[in-house]
């Protein structure tokens, strides 16, 4: 009956000529501080320690006065966009990046905000954007999952779930803290049989399956499983190849770095090269960007690897001519407050934060939107998380209002009843 | 600059646009397109509020309300809901309306709106709400044959006995018969052999394991929450609910009583104490984390989300109605009012989750225990929160923490009387109600303790995850800490919340049953109203409820339901393929005491059920999806039957009935799959691979996908390799090992061709590799 529901849903996609065929989300778990990376606010220094009324917004925790950024900003590239000293590599690529400084979302707590980021809803039950895209566009490579999530350790399924969409659209998790493919993917390798003996065994299975189907009669499931076994057999080798970072040159590995996040970025490039539709990379484990205290020290430790790998990904995609057809999105579930927490940290801030996009038909070297003078609230050209979803779908050739699924009596959308495509940032 | 533009417009020559129209084109139309069409367009299948602002007529209808809505004056009507427009755009609307709202658009007939919701009076005539009409001489086969005949189709012949016995076993117990049992049935030509087989299987304890699991899909059974944080840790006793379901199904507890116990066992005078385990249906429901530092509005919203889940699970699961669609507005299609939604939600706002003791104690002690358990949990949470994360006002936070810690002591003191007769109950409370550690004293250990609680596995301590009657209120008077108040025995009626906005409550919605299904005043008076709700589901809504469960049971037997949308019997759902059959079977099901075992017999003894599933040229041509049931539906096994079959074939299956959940990946976990731990946040890989439903919401049916990742499990997992090795061991003393394996796995002799294939394979590969190949074949995972 799910098939029946599906039948009644959804026109064909793409609705129009897409710019992007793939999308990569660099998800900075915990909520990175826009004020120390992409959204300079000199006023913080001028009013340091004060607590004007305009910053009296309720966040998760009790906060104090305004906390200036300990980092300096400079203009980079032809576009002259200001970027913090923490991010020299992204600064060098800034002309390929569209910085949205006016993001906002609707919840100041990690879990619901993360759900919003991935599914457009605070309840942790709705389908992830990656699942929606897989449902809308299908996959380009039958030997690999259409929606891949790379995260150190064993990922939690909640952000990559298919929800009410057919289960095959759910994200498949791979552990990017190891570099051996067979440790990344469960059941990928046969530990007992080499390639040839395994082929011989599969030939026997398929011969028996053919015998059975001859006796039973033609059947969709029986045929489907015969095909799926062949695909699985090939997938073992294709995945071993695509997930094997040893196939990259030492120079390339060096360019990205060798941290889990860097592995994730490099794997993402290898995956989209082979037709995987959606790759999400979680900067983890846990929620590292949750800097409630010691923001100075923490960001100095954490930024270099993120900066290096993200910028390498953009450069690498560009060199291979893949950037135009790959939308890269960077951001966390929210940003951080201009007011301090615990003296030298920042609290969660859903009212205004920064995300950036690159490639996939999005303009480079552009700043879109602005926060108020202290960087607390988005005030100009505000972009909600729903707008971001609508825009990301748009680059993939999907009208977010058309991407619906009939479930529990109504048509659901990734953007619910919200969402506007941010046309100004599109090429 | 603006003045000049305006001036230019004013002096424009005749024939050009009037200033009002120009204003419309320049400012208003783009605003409507960008801000309103998303929800209010005739192009949408269901424009919100039936309002199409892409039509002139639609727009004219609301010009009176438009300004109030965009100015955000009216808390109940703020548009656009995503945020107030900038003042300049609001000013544009003001000017346009002042000019008389000129609108150059021409409505075409096609653009005219719009679907209207069915009103309640019309709704009462909806087919699914009608009394059940039994046929004079009802039988499944007469209805099926009549439809087939209409479509010039014949039924398929009865399946061979070897297949039939497998079908009956798998269907009723989720396990295949042994080779010997198969042979015995094939040889048994007595006229009552098949009926006798069904009786035997219905009496097996494995029957409850199979059919209880179906129910657990509908009840979205899980043992933890979608996320596990400080306020929503796992449910260590949820497995007792699962065991209760299996037990009740085995005992053929009538379906009406089965459901009533799950909603209100604590309110039913004739319920046995152990039946309180049934309350896990509500007591182990998914909930979200509520960080006490969030504002009152956010916390309220999170609670309304929890109640929404309950409304959805009860209405779709039991009634086949999508009542949750009426949360923000009256249902767009079905005769369900927003008021109805909040009337039901109020029942769950008056029902609080808390552990209860497994052992019988007097009701007053039991209620006090439940209250104390949830109270201690909350107090200890906020005391820890204030202690560990004091924020920028540490002194205040420390004082608060101390105050809550003192309250912890006080609540425990009040419960100290338990120490004498029920030490285990006191110990449980003591363990929940921990004072926060002194600041500086081993914070690492404290954090580890918190982690442990969040990841706690199932426990066999004598408690159940249940609910008790108490109203819940959110208190926002402390700006830094939002608290909750739980009042035992006090019910809470909710206000209607248009657009689900907790900040703009509307009229009060007293707790009562759905208007369209109510025959008289159905206001609930008894506590939360859970029992009254349960009773109404079987009295006023009895015919609907019967149709819904009969349709589900039919689907679980045949692989496809009569009403394709098994959890939506509303106007957006499918109509039944065989309405008279559904009515007749439901009527007789009710007449036979809502007995599921009666229903199984009725279905399985029918000729329709015993048909072969082979494809037929005429059938696939005339009715390719087999709606008319010209054959049994071929399909694959679900993961429970598949995994259990593999374990049984290799002789490893642990057939112990009931007990603690164990992770399916745990080494040597050879228990039946139904006893595997079900996590809502981190579902076991194999379950996820094989379409196990998301346990955060009631599941109408399982998808049965066939994917490459499933085949990797079959080809490469340790689980399959272990089965293969064990299978070889079983046959090691057999003279004909290939034949012995066929007996064991496929319950039949191999064909000469299969013997040839096997013999030439084994001549070159290890026997275990051959065993794995046999276990991997389609036949093993194919419904007989």
């Amino acid at each position: 009956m799910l098939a029946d529901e599906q039948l009644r849903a959804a026109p064909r996609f793409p609705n129009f000529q897409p710019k992007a065929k793939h999308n990569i989300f660099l998800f900075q778990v915990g909520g990175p501080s826009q004020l120390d990376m992409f959204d300079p606010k000199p006023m913080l220094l001028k009013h340091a320690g004060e607590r004007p009324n305009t910053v009296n917004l309720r966040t998760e925790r009790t906060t104090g006065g305004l906390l200036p950024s300990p980092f300096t900003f400079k203009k980079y590239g032809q576009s002259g966009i200001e970027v913090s000293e923490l991010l020299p590599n992204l600064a060098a690529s800034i002309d390929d990046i569209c910085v949205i400084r006016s993001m906002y979302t609707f919840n100041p707590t990690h879990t619901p905000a993360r759900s919003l980021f991935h599914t457009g809803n605070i309840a942790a039950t709705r389908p992830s954007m990656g699942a929606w895209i897989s449902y809308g566009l299908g996959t380009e490579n039958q030997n690999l999952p259409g929606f891949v999530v790379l995260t150190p350790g064993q990922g939690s399924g909640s952000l990559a779930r298919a929800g009410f969409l057919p289960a095959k659209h759910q994200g498949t998790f791979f552990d990017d803290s190891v570099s051996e493919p067979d440790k990344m993917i469960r059941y990928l390798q046969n530990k007992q049989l080499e390639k040839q003996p395994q082929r011989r065994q599969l030939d026997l299975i398929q011969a028996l399956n053919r015998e059975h189907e001859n006796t039973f009669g033609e059947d969709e499931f029986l045929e489907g499983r015969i095909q799926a076994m062949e695909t699985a057999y090939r997938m073992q080798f294709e995945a071993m190849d695509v997930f094997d970072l040893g196939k990259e040159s030492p120079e390339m590995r060096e360019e990205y770095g060798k941290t889990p996040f860097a592995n994730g970025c490099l794997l993402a490039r290898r995956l989209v090269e082979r037709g995987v539709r959606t790759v999400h990379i979680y900067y983890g484990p846990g929620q590292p960007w949750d800097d409630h205290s010691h923001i100075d020290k923490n960001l100095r430790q954490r930024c270099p690897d993120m900066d290096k790998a993200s910028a390498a990904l953009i450069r690498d995609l560009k060199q291979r001519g893949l950037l135009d057809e790959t939308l890269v999105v960077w951001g966390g579930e929210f940003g951080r407050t201009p007011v301090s927490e615990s003296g030298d940290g920042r609290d969660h801030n859903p009212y205004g934060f920064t995300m950036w996009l690159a490639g996939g038909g999005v303009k480079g070297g552009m700043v879109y939107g602005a926060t108020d003078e202290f960087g607390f609230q988005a005030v100009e050209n505000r972009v909600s998380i729903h707008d971001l979803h609508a825009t990301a779908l748009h680059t993939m050739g999907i009208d977010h209002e058309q991407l619906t699924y009939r479930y529990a009596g109504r048509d659901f959308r990734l953007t619910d009843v919200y969402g506007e495509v941010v046309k100004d940032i599109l090429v | 600059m603006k003045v000049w533009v305006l001036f230019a417009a004013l002096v424009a020559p005749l024939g050009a646009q009037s200033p009002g129209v120009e204003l419309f084109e320049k400012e208003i139309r783009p605003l409507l397109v960008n801000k309103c069409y998303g929800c209010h367009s005739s192009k949408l299948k269901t424009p919100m509020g039936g309002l199409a602002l892409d039509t002139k007529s639609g727009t004219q209808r609301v010009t009176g309300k438009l300004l109030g809505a965009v100015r955000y004056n009216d808390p109940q009507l703020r548009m656009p809901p995503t945020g107030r427009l900038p003042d300049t755009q609001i000013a544009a609307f003001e000017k346009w309306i002042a000019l008389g709202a000129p609108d150059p658009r021409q409505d075409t007939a096609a653009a005219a709106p719009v679907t209207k919701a069915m009103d309640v009076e019309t709704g009462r005539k909806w087919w699914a709400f009608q009394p059940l009409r039994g046929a004079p001489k009802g039988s499944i086969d007469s209805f099926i044959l009549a439809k087939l005949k209409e479509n010039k189709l014949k039924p398929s012949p009865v399946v061979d006995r070897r297949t039939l016995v497998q079908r009956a076993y798998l269907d009723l117990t989720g396990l295949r018969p042994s080779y010997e049992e198969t042979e015995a049935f094939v040889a048994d030509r007595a006229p009552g052999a098949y009926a006798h087989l069904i009786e035997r299987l219905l009496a097996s304890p494995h029957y409850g394991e199979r059919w209880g699991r179906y129910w657990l899909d509908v009840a979205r059974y899980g043992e933890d929450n979608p996320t596990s944080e400080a306020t929503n840790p796992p449910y260590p006793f949820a497995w007792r609910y699962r065991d209760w379901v299996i037990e009740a199904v085995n005992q053929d507890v009538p379906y009406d009583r089965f459901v009533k116990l799950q909603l209100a066992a604590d309110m039913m005078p004739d319920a046995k104490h152990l039946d309180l385990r049934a309350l896990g249906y509500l007591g182990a429901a998914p909930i979200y984390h509520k960080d006490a530092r969030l504002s009152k509005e956010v916390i309220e919203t999170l609670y309304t989300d929890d109640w929404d889940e309950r409304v959805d699970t009860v209405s779709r699961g039991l009634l086949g109605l999508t009542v949750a669609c009426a949360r923000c507005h009256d249902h767009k299609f079905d005769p369900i009012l927003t008021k109805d939604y909040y009337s039901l939600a109020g029942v769950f706002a008056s029902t609080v989750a808390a552990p209860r003791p497994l052992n019988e104690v007097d009701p007053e002690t039991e209620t006090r225990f439940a209250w104390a358990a949830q109270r201690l949990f909350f107090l200890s949470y906020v005391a820890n929160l204030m202690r560990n994360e004091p924020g920028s006002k540490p002194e205040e936070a420390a004082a608060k923490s101390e105050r809550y810690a003192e309250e912890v002591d006080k609540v425990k003191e009040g419960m100290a009387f338990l120490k004498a007769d029920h030490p285990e109950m006191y110990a449980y409370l003591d363990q929940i109600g921990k004072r926060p550690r002194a600041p500086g004293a081993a914070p690492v250990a404290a954090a580890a303790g918190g982690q442990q609680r969040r990841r706690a596995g199932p426990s066999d301590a004598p408690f159940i995850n249940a609910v008790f009657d108490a109203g819940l209120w959110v208190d926002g008077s402390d700006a830094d800490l939002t608290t909750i108040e739980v009042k035992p025995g006090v019910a809470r009626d909710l206000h209607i919340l248009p657009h689900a906005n907790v900040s703009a409550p509307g009229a009060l919605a007293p707790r009562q049953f759905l208007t369209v299904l109510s025959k008289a005043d159905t206001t609930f008076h008894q506590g939360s109203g859970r029992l009254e709700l349960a009773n109404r589901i079987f009295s006023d809504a009895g015919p609907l409820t019967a149709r819904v469960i009969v349709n589900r049971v039919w689907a679980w037997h045949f692989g496809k339901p009569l009403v394709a949308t098994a959890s939506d019997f509303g106007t957006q759902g499918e109509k039944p393929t065989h309405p008279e059959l559904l009515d007749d079977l439901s009527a007789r099901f009710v007449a036979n005491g809502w007995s599921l075992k009666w229903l199984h017999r009725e279905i399985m003894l029918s000729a329709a059920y015993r048909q072969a599933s082979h494809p037929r040229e005429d059938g696939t041509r005339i009715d390719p999806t087999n709606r008319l049931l010209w054959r049994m539906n071929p399909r694959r096994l679900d993961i429970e039957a598949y995994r259990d079959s593999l374990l049984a074939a290799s002789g490893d299956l642990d057939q112990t009935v009931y007990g603690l959940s164990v992770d399916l990946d745990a080494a040597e976990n050879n228990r039946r799959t139904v006893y595997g731990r079900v996590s809502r946040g981190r579902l076991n890989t194999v379950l996820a691979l094989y379409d196990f439903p998301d346990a955060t919401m009631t599941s109408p049916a399982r998808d049965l996908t066939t994917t490459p990742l499933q085949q990797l499990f079959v080809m490469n997992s340790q689980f399959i390799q272990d089965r293969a090795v064990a299978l070889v061991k079983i046959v090691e003393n057999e003279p004909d090992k290939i034949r012995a394996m066929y007996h064991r796995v496929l319950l039949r002799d191999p064909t000469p061709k299969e013997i040839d294939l096997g013999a030439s394979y084994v001549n070159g590969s290890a026997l275990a590799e051959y065993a794995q190949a046999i276990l991997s074949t389609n036949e093993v995972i194919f419904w007989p």
Side-chain angles (χ1 to χ4, degrees), chain A residues 1-5 8-10 58-64 104 106-112 121-126 142 145 154-158 161-168 170 172 185-193 197-198 200-202 204-205 207-209 211-212 215-219 221-226 228-229 231-233 235-236 340-342 382 384 386 401-402 404 406-411 413 417-420 423, chain B residues 34-35 37-39 44-45 48 81-82 226-227 229 288-289 291-296 298 301-302 305 316 322 325 333 389-393 478-482 561 564-566 568 572 574 613-615 631 634-636 642 665 680-682 685-686 688-689 691 694 696-698 700-703 705-709 711-717 721 742 751 753-754 757-758 760-761 763-765 769-770 772-774 776-779 781-782:
Chain A
M1 83 201 56
L2 278 173
D4 289 332
E5 291 211 330
R8 291 188 290 147
R58 181 151 178 175
T59 53
E60 190 184 65
R61 307 182 184 193
T62 319
T63 51
Y104 68 100
F106 306 93
N107 198 296
T109 321
H110 291 291
T111 309
N121 192 286
I122 62 168
T125 56
R126 299 279 173 84
Q142 297 294 341
Q154 201 201 341
S156 151
S158 60
R161 69 173 76 230
F164 44 71
L165 295 176
K168 66 176 174 182
Q170 77 203 355
T172 306
I185 310 167
R186 266 194 114 178
Y187 316 129
L188 181 63
Q189 252 198 326
N190 194 311
K191 298 203 176 77
Q192 299 184 342
L193 296 177
Q198 197 194 15
R200 185 166 185 262
Q201 186 190 43
L202 185 56
L204 172 68
I205 296 170
L208 295 172
N209 284 343
E211 276 298 295
H212 176 250
T215 318
F216 180 80
E218 199 177 308
D219 182 78
F221 164 70
L222 296 177
E223 189 57 37
R225 192 163 180 272
I226 288 172
M229 282 223 158
T231 309
Y233 178 76
M235 188 186 280
Q236 300 177 105
S340 71
E341 187 190 337
S342 327
R382 290 156 52 83
S384 75
H386 304 300
E401 289 180 6
Q402 301 288 319
T404 62
R406 171 58 59 90
Y407 171 75
R410 73 175 176 98
D411 288 337
R413 283 168 28 192
V417 299
Y418 312 108
E420 257 182 64
K423 294 237 165 74
Chain B
N34 289 325
K35 298 288 177 184
Y37 284 14
C39 303
L44 298 172
K45 277 185 216 158
M48 302 284 276
T82 41
T227 60
E229 287 148 287
Y288 301 108
H289 175 44
D291 190 315
R293 289 165 304 193
L294 298 176
S295 71
K296 181 185 180 206
V298 175
T301 305
L302 288 166
D305 282 349
R316 281 201 295 137
T322 56
C325 291
F333 304 102
E389 293 169 34
S392 59
K393 297 179 208 152
D478 180 339
D480 294 330
L481 196 68
T482 303
T565 49
D568 187 358
Q572 294 301 288
E574 296 290 336
S613 59
H614 299 287
R631 62 164 165 170
R635 57 196 189 267
R636 77 156 161 83
Y642 184 45
D665 286 340
R680 294 189 171 112
R682 188 173 289 197
T685 317
V686 177
L689 277 180
D691 306 307
D694 188 342
T696 59
M697 49 190 162
T698 174
R702 285 202 197 175
D703 232 348
T705 63
T706 307
T707 68
L709 289 175
Q711 316 318 325
L712 285 178
F713 167 73
V714 175
M715 287 157 67
N716 299 339
S717 70
Q721 282 159 1
Y742 267 80
T751 63
K753 176 95 187 274
E754 287 167 334
L757 284 167
S760 68
Y761 182 81
N763 182 23
S765 294
E769 290 156 28
Y770 175 73
Q772 190 191 347
I774 299 292
S776 307
T777 53
N778 279 349
E779 197 173 339
I781 195 176
F782 199 46

Side-chain angles (χ1 to χ4, degrees), chain B residues 169 173-178 181 201 204-207 209 246 250 643-659 668-675 744:
Chain B
Y169 262 83
T173 68
L175 297 167
R176 284 198 165 85
S178 69
E181 286 166 323
L201 294 173
S204 154
H206 299 312
Y207 156 74
E209 293 173 326
I246 295 175
N250 269 334
R643 181 176 171 278
D644 295 351
S645 293
L646 293 170
L647 282 166
S650 68
D652 295 315
L653 184 68
D654 173 351
Q655 302 214 10
T656 312
V657 184
Y658 307 121
E668 308 284 312
N669 180 3
N670 293 341
R671 297 209 60 193
R672 293 201 65 181
T673 310
V674 69
Y675 301 111
R744 186 90 212 164

Side-chain angles (χ1 to χ4, degrees), chain B residues 727-735 737 767:
Chain B
L727 182 57
V728 169
K729 200 141 193 232
I730 289 178
V731 302
E732 72 188 344
N733 294 323
E734 299 285 339
K737 295 189 175 55
L767 204 53

Side-chain angles (χ1 to χ4, degrees), chain B residues 336-403:
Chain B
I336 295 165
L337 310 169
T338 311
K339 177 172 82 73
D340 287 335
Y341 173 88
Y342 287 94
S343 294
L344 286 192
V347 173
F348 303 109
S350 308
T351 302
V352 168
R356 285 172 178 266
L358 182 67
N359 305 317
E360 191 149 5
V361 296
D362 65 279
E364 198 202 313
T365 305
E366 187 159 341
T367 303
R368 282 182 68 183
F369 174 81
W371 177 83
Q374 64 78 29
R375 183 72 187 155
L376 285 171
F377 181 85
F378 179 76
L379 289 171
S380 151
Y381 160 65
V382 283
N384 266 300
L385 186 67
M386 291 291 97
R387 173 81 64 191
N388 295 331
E389 293 169 34
S392 59
K393 297 179 208 152
E395 305 80 16
E396 274 180 42
K400 264 185 225 170
S401 176
E402 186 50 35
R403 215 166 53 236

Side-chain angles (χ1 to χ4, degrees), chain B residues 493-549:
Chain B
D493 283 329
L494 294 177
H495 290 264
I496 292 171
L497 302 175
H499 299 283
N501 181 355
V502 297
S503 313
L508 199 68
R511 288 158 299 121
Q512 61 184 42
F513 198 51
L514 300 172
T515 314
V516 71
L517 292 169
S518 297
K519 302 224 161 66
D521 173 26
T522 56
T523 317
F524 302 151
H525 300 288
Q526 232 184 302
S528 61
R530 279 182 284 127
L531 182 56
E532 289 153 291
L533 168 62
N535 286 334
R536 293 287 171 190
I537 288 172
F538 288 90
S539 55
D540 296 40
L544 174 62
T545 307
R547 285 184 180 101
V548 169
I549 187 64

Side-chain angles (χ1 to χ4, degrees), chain A residues 269-336:
Chain A
R269 191 264 288 159
R270 292 176 66 83
L271 287 164
V272 301
E273 265 182 324
R274 286 160 179 81
V276 171
R277 189 69 70 186
T278 298
V279 184
H280 288 188
I281 304 164
Y282 299 172
Y283 192 109
Q287 41 193 44
W289 297 95
D290 193 23
D291 293 309
H292 287 283
S293 59
H294 309 307
I295 201 151
D296 186 345
K297 186 181 95 201
N298 290 348
L299 289 182
R300 279 182 208 284
Q301 279 174 2
R302 210 177 301 115
C303 280
D305 116 74
M306 183 281 289
D307 172 56
K308 186 174 175 180
S310 311
L313 176 64
I314 294 175
R315 271 201 315 273
D316 193 10
L317 286 171
K318 196 174 178 184
Q319 269 161 17
R320 287 163 198 263
L322 283 168
L323 188 59
D324 288 340
E325 58 180 60
T326 307
L327 177 71
V328 182
V329 180
W330 179 98
E333 62 264 44
F334 36 56
R336 306 207 80 84

Side-chain angles (χ1 to χ4, degrees), chain B residues 225-237:
Chain B
N225 284 298
T227 60
S228 287
E229 287 148 287
T231 64
N232 58 345
Y235 299 112
F237 318 116

Side-chain angles (χ1 to χ4, degrees), chain B residues 596-628:
Chain B
L596 290 174
K597 287 193 179 179
W598 174 87
L599 190 53
H600 298 308
R601 277 183 210 109
E602 197 63 22
I603 289 173
M604 293 178 73
L605 289 170
S606 72
Y609 178 84
R610 283 180 288 165
Q611 292 179 96
S613 59
H614 299 287
R616 264 173 31 212
E617 192 278 327
D618 56 339
T620 38
R621 181 166 39 82
I622 299 172
D623 177 25
T625 57
N626 196 29
R627 290 170 71 246
L628 303 171

